[in-house]
Amino acid sequence: MRILVVGGGGREHAIIKALKKNPNITEIFAAPGNGGIAQDATCVPIGALEIDKLVEFAYTNKIDYAIVAPDDPLVLGCVDAMEAHGIPCFGPCANAAIIEGSKVFAKDLMKKYGIPTAKYETFTCAADALAYLENAPIPTVVKADGLALGKGVIIAQTREEARRAVRDMMEDGIFGKSGSRIVIEEFLTGPEVSVLAFTDGKTVKPMVSSMDHKRAGDHDTGLNTGGMGTVAPNPYYTEFIAQQCMEEIFLPTVAAMNTEGRTFKGCLYFGLMLTPDGPKVIEYNCRFGDPETQVVLPLLESDLLTVMQATTNGTLAETDVVFSKKHACCVIWTSSGYPKAYQKGYEITMTSEAAKHTYVAGAKLEGNKLVTSGGRVTGTTAVADCLEDAIREAYRLSDGVCFENAYRRSDIGQRALQAKQ
Ligand code: AMP
Ligand code: GLY
């Protein structure tokens, strides 16, 4: 089998490392991949958004199965284009990827089908949004409708901050077209849980739950980032809550998408908040999360390719999706300064032990030297029988990854540990 993975971050590296356990896979290509992925796959210099070129590559290189990992090619119809050329592909079609591509769509879907989420209003005109804010409860949450590289959500602690967010998005267009429509929603509180689920549009098989650490600084301070580390499973996500989420959120969402004529196949990501009124959806993503994937896939005992193909073929009900009962922790090294400006081009060295457990995100090859090229640079994952050991081991292994100007949080997993106690 010849596989193409579209994307080039830590998530894609984790997918590729998991696929490599399958002996039937003879070659894995990554487009564009990165300098670290190049150790495990053949990187091809085609960007994740160059859909015509990706399809041409897959077609001429006799790709048996393509996996589209990032949000933007999914929203742009990469899966539709692959399938139109007869290439089976993992991921939702564009008409289903809209569940992440438009927050207004997602919110309206939840309202229409009674799926629990924060109360909200949508606006296409700044004056209306500003008028609404005069009496809105504070804190409030302002969200750009479209994709905004994970930066389109502002938690406004004051009315003035909320007004500024509306003006930035709707008048100054800081997110381009993504901010021409916005959602203003109720501020919710409670522990957050990420649940990634495989679905073929009929059956939903959730993966092990996880906890992201979105803020840049220790103790959840500082700016929001793409994610500084993860642990799995998430101790807040009890069997009881899992059952409730399946009945009230996961199955109703998949059924709602079918009713709308937008059958979702692939990985549906539920960003949940466990509020005092029960679990509510904070966001849907139409793909694997990053860095959730870096703790979830190391715990997957079933063959990843088989499960992915089952989502495409509609055979998920008959396919085992088994996770280990162990614990995983992933610690991200970033370029100091991220998510704001940072220096890049520093050489990365890794002990061979660390390399086995490390997924590379923002790095490229210069000659045969691996150098930093992005904000999030590497993620190192350890799996152990208990959470304490997974955290300790992830930090120990992460010590084996070195580059100048490196920064990591020192408290990944601590909140989860406290929750267990
Ligand atoms: P998102 O980009 O939608 O994942 O939002 C980023 C982060 O903002 C989430 O992980 C939450 O921590 C926070 N957030 C989003 N919506 C709300 C809300 N309605 N209430 C409280 N926090 C929120
Ligand atoms: N870690 C959050 C996301 O992938 O969107």
Side-chain angles (χ1 to χ4, degrees), residues 11 71 100 150 194 196 212-214 225-230 269 283-285 287-293 376:
R11 164 185 53 205
D71 48 10
E100 175 170 3
S194 305
L196 284 56
D212 196 0
H213 295 66
K214 286 204 160 106
T225 69
M228 299 293 294
T230 34
Y269 168 132
E283 63 163 348
Y284 291 116
N285 290 327
R287 50 164 176 92
F288 282 96
D290 189 340
E292 286 88 342
T293 306
R376 288 190 291 179

Side-chain angles (χ1 to χ4, degrees), residues 123-126 144-146 169-170 173 175-182:
F123 298 94
T124 50
C125 154
D145 177 44
M169 289 181 196
M170 303 191 85
F175 301 124
K177 261 185 62 187
S178 287
S180 58
R181 273 204 298 185
I182 62 163

Side-chain angles (χ1 to χ4, degrees), residues 141 143 153 155 185-188 192 214 273 282-283:
V141 184
K143 299 186 171 184
V153 174
I155 313 286
E185 73 178 24
E186 176 196 11
F187 175 75
L188 299 176
E192 286 185 58
K214 286 204 160 106
M273 196 171 267
I282 289 281
E283 63 163 348

Side-chain angles (χ1 to χ4, degrees), residues 6 16 24 29-30 58 77 115 129 146 164 210 230 233 260 286 359 361 363 370 391 397 411 419:
V6 175
I16 288 165
N24 297 323
F29 297 91
I115 297 164
R164 195 173 335 121
S210 54
T230 34
E260 294 293 311
C286 64
Y359 306 113
L370 189 63
I391 296 169
L397 290 165
D411 65 340

Side-chain angles (χ1 to χ4, degrees), residues 384-401:
D385 288 332
C386 69
L387 179 60
E388 291 88 332
D389 290 353
I391 296 169
R392 193 176 320 110
E393 185 65 0
Y395 274 97
R396 189 187 69 76
L397 290 165
S398 167
D399 288 339
V401 179

Side-chain angles (χ1 to χ4, degrees), residues 125-127 130 163 165-174 179-180:
C125 154
L130 291 169
R163 289 190 197 106
V166 167
R167 290 198 190 99
D168 284 350
M169 289 181 196
M170 303 191 85
E171 291 174 352
D172 301 339
I174 59 165
S180 58

